[in-house]
Amino acid sequence: MAEPTQAPTLPRPERVIETLGDAFYDAVDPARFPQTILRWRNDRAAAEVGLEHLTDDAWIAHLARFDPLPGSLPRPLALRYHGHQFRVYNPEIGDGRGFLYAQLRDRGGRLMDLGTKGSGQTPYSRFGDGRLTLKGAVRELLATEMLQALGVPTSRTFSIVETGEKLERNDEPSPTRGAVLVRLSHGHVRIGTFQRLAYLRDAESMAALTDYCLREFYAEAGGDDAPERLLAHVVERTATLAASYMAAGFVHGVLNTDNINVTGESFDYGPWRFAPTWDPGFTAAYFDHAGLYAFGRQPEAIHWNCMQLAVALRTLSEAPPLIEALERFGDLYPPAVARALLWRLGVTPRGEEDAALIEALERGLRECNTGIDDFFHDSFGGTIPPSYGDAFAEARERLVDYAPRKGRNHPHWSGPPVSMLIDEVETLWSAIDQRDDWQPLYDKVAAIRAMGDALA
């Protein structure tokens, strides 16, 4: 008698967001698209939540037509929030072209959200059409794959489905192709979610949200000191996020309070770019005229956003413990950036000696004006090639005492550096736009994942 085949792993659906009540969201209907052409399915991420066994037809049914995932949310929920946008407070925002589609647990028991982008209009769409361009979806895929490979805590691009719509946009040639994207993220609660409740002076909902975040994101119970503990967690996680951005050479572009997740996980990619060189003034958004979110100002911007969370939590807490939690950012960031840079350099941290090495590395990168990706690729393992010149003399001397954390035996190191500068992004999009050739994109993702394996 033949042994029965093993049943596929089933997802662990959740709907815990509903415990907060409908003061936090609006049930909405997804858009109906003229076509649904599957362009990207992230089976690696799907395996983490038990959805890798979906057929392509079932994938489209759930992640483009948004048929409910059994056991999870019966209807999509557009989340409510406010936020500072370039430090101007805006109470007129919320999920305007996306929604929370489903919640489920990953294999480790973490709560995960499937959220959308380009899935239609909501009560917060204002004058927008609720849609996403295909180019925007491709750009988000490239950003999330590159950041994950470089060790940045990030949402993952779970699915891209082309919708057959032609969209009019002011910032790219139109009409342009439409898409709907689904991201996998460890929650979608923003600093702006708390700001909205403070704006409304809704202390009861603020307490419920604080307890929800502690329970679902940090495995802690509530209590009288819940606001201070939550802020302390967010400060620690976002200091790590800021450090990882710097080590990756990444510029998010729009670090508004509605774009900062209280889990410290990066998400929502618009005008992002990777900096070609270690230029603190490099910006990603053409509309960031003052350089508010420039490469070198990102730690400051993220710390400022944490300050706004502290202000919101004053609804529940006295100021001194919140200030104490907030002030830890300055102490947490330097060792976090040292860990991130040394991880990318491929050496094991040594503790107190790391600060001097990091200072020497950053000085060398500024003076040499070399490509960030080239430098870390060539120097992985702790040996900076002579071709990078005397700008790195002190860094070389200090690296003598550092042990490699990993060798260069992975095939990735025998090939060229993997980068994601704007010219290459445009080239990859051009192949899709002009010839409907997706292979260069898929090849690039494969190369990025190989780099991630070599670094991991």
Side-chain angles (χ1 to χ4, degrees):
M1 181 177 177
E3 294 185 2
T5 58
Q6 185 175 1
T9 302
L10 297 176
R12 296 169 58 190
E14 282 283 8
R15 46 196 297 182
V16 292
I17 190 72
E18 294 176 321
T19 64
L20 289 172
D22 58 11
F24 289 84
Y25 48 73
D26 295 87
V28 295
D29 294 319
R32 296 303 173 192
F33 304 114
Q35 289 182 286
T36 49
I37 307 167
L38 182 57
R39 296 300 191 182
W40 169 257
R41 56 176 287 166
N42 192 338
D43 282 319
R44 184 167 69 171
E48 297 178 18
V49 291
L51 295 178
E52 74 275 25
H53 300 290
L54 290 178
T55 65
D56 284 354
D57 287 345
W59 187 279
I60 288 173
H62 288 299
L63 302 173
R65 293 196 294 272
F66 300 106
D67 295 346
L69 190 67
S72 191
L73 302 176
R75 286 185 68 188
L77 304 177
L79 303 181
R80 301 176 182 177
Y81 49 86
H82 292 177
H84 278 90
Q85 299 183 310
F86 285 83
R87 300 200 177 170
V88 176
Y89 193 77
N90 187 353
E92 302 296 329
I93 54 178
D95 277 341
R97 58 171 175 169
F99 47 63
L100 176 59
Y101 161 63
Q103 293 186 302
L104 26 71
R105 300 279 174 185
D106 69 9
R107 295 186 186 280
R110 282 197 316 164
L111 179 67
M112 304 297 290
D113 286 354
L114 288 172
T116 67
K117 196 171 183 178
S119 51
Q121 292 181 311
T122 77
Y124 311 104
S125 298
R126 292 178 289 172
F127 301 107
D129 62 8
R131 302 306 203 259
L132 172 68
T133 67
L134 183 60
K135 183 179 184 181
V138 167
R139 282 176 48 83
E140 182 144 337
L141 169 61
L142 290 169
T144 55
E145 288 290 329
M146 191 73 174
L147 289 175
Q148 184 182 11
L150 291 174
V152 177
T154 179
S155 63
R156 266 79 57 77
T157 302
F158 200 79
S159 172
I160 296 174
V161 173
E162 189 170 357
T163 61
E165 295 180 310
K166 302 300 181 186
L167 307 178
E168 296 290 336
R169 292 293 184 268
N170 295 325
D171 55 354
E172 61 180 283
S174 297
T176 188
R177 295 152 73 174
V180 61
L181 177 146
V182 178
R183 70 166 70 98
L184 180 69
S185 184
H186 184 37
H188 280 84
V189 178
R190 302 155 163 85
I191 288 176
T193 313
F194 285 84
Q195 289 182 285
R196 172 180 168 271
L197 299 175
Y199 180 90
L200 298 174
R201 302 188 180 188
D202 186 350
E204 183 178 353
S205 294
M206 181 80 78
L209 181 62
T210 301
D211 289 350
Y212 175 91
C213 292
L214 282 173
R215 181 178 69 251
E216 299 300 341
F217 304 143
Y218 295 103
E220 293 182 7
D224 292 341
D225 63 344
E228 303 95 86
R229 283 189 286 121
L230 177 62
L231 180 61
H233 284 305
V234 174
V235 165
E236 182 173 358
R237 291 280 186 91
T238 55
T240 297
L241 174 64
S244 69
Y245 278 170
M246 299 304 290
F250 180 71
V251 187
H252 184 283
V254 190
L255 290 174
N256 297 331
T257 55
D258 57 301
N259 287 338
I260 300 294
N261 194 328
V262 297
T263 64
E265 185 180 71
S266 178
F267 78 116
D268 206 5
Y269 301 99
W272 64 267
R273 291 203 185 178
F274 283 88
T277 61
W278 199 271
D279 175 8
F282 180 82
T283 57
Y286 68 87
F287 45 83
D288 188 3
H289 304 296
L292 181 63
Y293 298 143
F295 177 50
R297 295 186 68 183
Q298 291 181 120
E300 171 201 343
I302 290 173
H303 185 210
W304 190 90
N305 289 336
C306 289
M307 291 171 59
Q308 307 320 303
L309 177 59
V311 170
L313 288 170
R314 281 285 285 114
T315 306
L316 302 177
S317 173
E318 296 298 322
L322 295 174
I323 293 171
E324 182 180 352
L326 188 64
E327 288 180 342
R328 292 181 64 237
F329 192 99
D331 295 328
L332 291 166
Y333 175 74
V337 81
R339 289 192 301 271
L341 282 166
L342 295 181
W343 178 86
R344 191 171 183 190
L345 190 61
V347 297
T348 302
R350 291 174 58 86
E352 293 182 358
E353 301 174 36
D354 297 342
L357 173 57
I358 295 307
E359 183 179 349
L361 276 174
E362 290 186 349
R363 184 171 60 251
L365 284 164
R366 286 194 303 271
E367 293 177 2
C368 191
N369 201 36
T370 188
I372 295 173
D373 300 312
D374 292 350
F375 172 80
F376 283 106
H377 181 274
D378 295 342
S379 305
F380 186 81
T383 301
I384 302 174
S387 59
Y388 285 100
D390 293 338
F392 292 98
E394 182 184 347
R396 286 191 188 93
E397 183 178 346
R398 292 186 179 280
L399 276 167
V400 169
D401 295 326
Y402 281 76
R405 68 170 178 84
K406 197 172 183 181
R408 295 178 61 97
N409 55 348
H410 191 282
H412 164 75
W413 301 115
S414 61
V418 174
S419 61
M420 189 52 65
L421 302 181
I422 188 62
D423 288 347
E424 184 166 9
V425 174
E426 293 297 329
T427 298
L428 292 168
W429 168 246
S430 180
I432 294 168
D433 185 41
Q434 296 180 14
R435 304 186 302 277
D436 206 33
D437 184 0
W438 290 79
Q439 197 57 48
L441 174 69
Y442 300 147
D443 291 344
K444 185 66 177 183
V445 171
I448 291 170
R449 289 186 170 187
M451 177 181 68
D453 292 342
L455 285 167

